[in-house]
Structures are given as C-alpha cells and as structure tokens.
Amino acid sequence: MPRAQEIEIVAEMVANVMTVYVAPGDTVAPGDTVVLLESMKMEIPVVSEHGGTVTGLWVGPGDVVQDGDVLLSLGA
C-alpha cells in the first residue's frame, strides 16, 4: 500500500518562531494558522493551504528559521 503524500509547510523568509499552534497528531484545516513568525518587528502568521494531520513538527518557539526551512509536515 503506498504511503500518503506528505505536504511540507515552509518558511518564506528569515524569521524567529514566536508561537507554534499545532502539535503532532493535530488535525489542520485549510486556512488554519499553524505558526506565528516574527521578522523585523512584524508578526507573520503561517497559514496552511491544505488540510491534514500534523505528522512532523520541526520548529519550536525561539528557533530562527531561514527562507525555505520546513516548519511542519502534514499527511492526508
């Protein structure tokens, strides 16, 4: 049986992770805010474009992320 495809949600800029709103096993709907980033004193919500279950969480509050870093993974 093929494994369900995972979707990666990535950072779109260099930023600090302020808040993570999800944990592994949580269900996410399209449009849900999953992470709050901060860059240049601006808060940037990371919104999921897809629904699914959080299968991997790769960042936590206080982490610094680079453009393209994977924040979390979603499975169907």
Side-chain angles (χ1 to χ4, degrees):
M1 176 179 252
R3 183 178 169 158
Q5 182 177 1
E6 288 196 343
I7 297 164
E8 294 181 333
I9 298 178
V10 299
E12 295 184 1
M13 64 183 67
V14 176
N16 296 309
V17 177
M18 291 184 64
T19 308
V20 177
Y21 296 110
V22 296
D26 287 355
T27 300
V28 174
D32 285 353
T33 299
V34 293
V35 176
L36 184 64
L37 302 177
E38 180 272 328
S39 182
M40 298 178 63
K41 299 185 181 179
M42 293 181 59
E43 294 182 359
I44 301 106
V46 177
V47 177
S48 179
E49 295 180 6
H50 305 278
T53 301
V54 178
T55 56
L57 181 61
W58 314 117
V59 297
D63 288 350
V64 176
V65 294
Q66 303 296 314
D67 183 15
D69 283 357
V70 177
L71 304 175
L72 59 101
S73 301
L74 297 177

